[in-house]
Amino acid sequence: MSGCDTRCLSSQVVWDTLGNRQFCSYKITTKTQNFCRNEYNLTGLCNRSSCPLANSQYATIREEKGRCYLYMKTIERAAFPRRLWERVLLNKNYEKALEEIDENLIYWPRFIRHKCKQRFTKITQYLIRIRKLTLKRQRKLVPLRRKIERREKRREEKALVAAQLDNAIEKELLERLKQDTYGDIYNFPIHAFDKALQQQDAESESESDAEKEEEDDEDMDKREFVEADDSDLSDFEDMDKLETSSEEEQEVEEEVEKKASRSKSKGKAPLKGPARRKRPYLEIEYEKETEAATKTKAA
């Protein structure tokens, strides 16, 4: 028997053993057809021409880290499992890679050469789609952990209740400390009390400032016309009285000056020293008892 006959005979024996009669771990049976899960399978179908175990001369295309490789198996290396498959790196260019496949599989069966080109085309297409999807913005689906969310929500509610209770207790103790309810029973740190008082003062100041600003804004925005009161009229009358009194004083001063000039013309010496403040002129009348004097003379 020739080498080709022995090779075909051994492949047929393997196929008859695995494919038809006994169990194969790579075989998946469905209602329509059978599939193969072997990583070196060329088409993914479980049949005589596509089985990598039942063919001593076999070739396939595989993708590793974005690069395509041509794997070839021959009967000459069947005795060396470590070197059973020959791997050839294909070019990134699609046309050059097809030429490399034709060169390496020039004397192989047409079925294997055609299926290798078809598989290489499919792998190239899904690599292009992967690159496009990675460059395109995508939505990220984040799983919702309901149990953890409920637990965190309960913790937040408990913390809020505890904080409100602590604040209420602190306010009550500060009120009692202000009122001196317990006297000197407790050794309470005075700095905490001072701090609370400062906070209250700051809050009251901020509130008063805000009220003043609001009032100023209202005063700036609103204009009002008010009727004159009786007090305003009385103020005007008082002003008139003051003006008339000032005029009378000026007249009295002028009369005093005239009399002083007359006295100076009669030869009186001028007064020495600093000039005195001029006083208003006053007229004084004296009454004499003339009747009593005549009686005394007659006696």
Side-chain angles (χ1 to χ4, degrees), residues 170-172 174-175 178 192-208:
E170 185 178 358
K171 288 180 180 179
E172 183 65 25
L174 289 172
E175 290 294 332
K178 288 179 185 178
F193 182 68
D194 295 337
K195 184 177 179 181
L197 290 177
Q198 290 177 1
Q199 290 179 355
Q200 290 181 357
D201 295 337
E203 290 177 357
S204 62
E205 288 178 358
S206 62
E207 291 177 357
S208 62

Side-chain angles (χ1 to χ4, degrees), residues 139-154:
R139 293 181 180 179
K140 185 178 180 181
L141 299 177
V142 180
L144 297 176
R145 299 178 180 179
R146 302 288 184 182
K147 188 174 181 181
I148 296 175
E149 287 182 358
R150 288 196 298 269
R151 187 190 307 160
E152 294 295 333
K153 190 175 181 180
R154 287 198 300 270

Side-chain angles (χ1 to χ4, degrees), residues 35-137:
F35 296 96
C36 182
R37 293 186 299 179
N38 195 312
E39 58 184 2
Y40 292 99
N41 195 301
L42 185 60
T43 60
L45 301 175
C46 183
N47 52 34
R48 175 70 175 79
S49 59
S50 300
C51 183
L53 302 177
N55 290 282
S56 57
Q57 188 179 11
Y58 197 79
T60 185
I61 302 292
R62 291 186 62 190
E63 180 264 329
E64 295 178 2
K65 296 181 180 179
R67 298 300 301 273
C68 294
Y69 294 90
L70 174 63
Y71 283 81
M72 295 176 289
K73 181 179 76 168
T74 58
I75 191 63
E76 290 81 13
R77 293 190 298 272
F80 307 98
R82 186 180 178 184
R83 294 178 293 174
L84 182 62
W85 292 93
E86 181 184 358
R87 189 175 72 169
V88 178
L89 179 63
L90 299 176
N91 199 327
K92 290 183 178 180
N93 192 355
Y94 178 72
E95 295 179 357
K96 292 182 179 179
L98 292 178
E99 292 177 0
E100 290 177 357
I101 291 171
D102 288 333
E103 290 175 1
N104 288 287
L105 304 177
I106 188 170
Y107 298 114
W108 288 57
R110 184 176 178 277
F111 174 79
I112 292 177
R113 189 166 61 249
H114 175 68
K115 289 297 181 183
C116 285
K117 289 181 181 180
Q118 190 178 9
R119 184 176 175 85
F120 174 71
T121 304
K122 293 292 183 182
I123 292 172
T124 305
Q125 288 175 356
Y126 82 68
L127 287 175
I128 292 170
R129 287 198 299 270
I130 287 171
R131 293 190 189 99
K132 287 183 179 179
L133 290 174
T134 52
L135 294 174
K136 186 179 178 181
R137 183 180 294 179

Side-chain angles (χ1 to χ4, degrees), residues 9 14 25-26 34 45 70 83 117 135 140 152 155-156 158-159 182 204 225 230 264 285 288 291:
L9 183 60
V14 173
S25 61
Y26 298 109
N34 299 330
L45 301 175
L70 174 63
R83 294 178 293 174
K117 289 181 181 180
L135 294 174
K140 185 178 180 181
E152 294 295 333
R155 287 179 181 176
E156 289 177 359
K158 291 180 181 179
Y182 302 112
S204 62
F225 297 95
D230 296 334
K264 285 180 181 179
E285 295 180 357
K288 296 180 180 181
E291 295 179 358

